[in-house]
Amino acid sequence: MLLTIPMDFIEVQEAQITSVADAKTWAQLRIEEGELVEVLHSDTFDGFKNFSEAVVVNSDGESVMDFINMAMIVLVAHTQKSIDDIVEAYLFRELHDLAY
């Protein structure tokens, strides 16, 4: 599974999820067999070589129509901020579906 997340900083250990409008960089996480395998960065959400199946945003009020139009799953990390927290929440199905 490939997840894309808007981040406030490129350094993985310091970065936290931010709003789509405030994203300084986008992180693409490759999760395979319950493990984080790879973290890539891009200046834009669509700047990755491989297409992401899902995007994780930090609130239900985010502008996500572009992602929906690309048939991406939109997940919400209400309390998770770091990449490690988001990966753990994804693996334990603790990320929420977007509330309209």
Side-chain angles (χ1 to χ4, degrees), residues 41-85:
H41 295 279
S42 175
D43 292 335
T44 60
F45 72 88
D46 58 354
F48 298 101
K49 180 179 177 183
N50 295 312
F51 183 77
S52 293
E53 294 119 314
V55 62
V56 180
V57 295
N58 67 352
S59 75
D60 290 314
E62 290 286 339
S63 175
V64 296
M65 282 312 294
D66 289 339
F67 307 120
I68 292 171
N69 289 338
M70 293 187 311
M72 294 176 74
I73 300 166
V74 178
L75 300 171
V76 182
H78 290 288
T79 59
Q80 300 82 4
K81 300 298 177 198
S82 70
I83 288 177
D84 289 340
D85 291 344

Side-chain angles (χ1 to χ4, degrees), residues 81-98:
K81 300 298 177 198
S82 70
I83 288 177
D84 289 340
D85 291 344
I86 292 169
V87 169
E88 182 178 336
Y90 172 76
L91 293 174
F92 288 103
R93 299 177 190 251
E94 294 173 350
L95 296 176
H96 301 272
D97 291 329
L98 185 67

Side-chain angles (χ1 to χ4, degrees), residues 8 16-17 20 22 26 29 31-32 36 38 44 54 56 61 64 66-67 70 78 80 84:
D8 64 355
Q16 291 193 352
I17 190 171
V20 171
D22 293 336
W26 289 81
L29 313 179
I31 300 172
E32 294 178 357
L36 178 62
E38 181 178 41
T44 60
V56 180
V64 296
D66 289 339
F67 307 120
M70 293 187 311
H78 290 288
Q80 300 82 4
D84 289 340

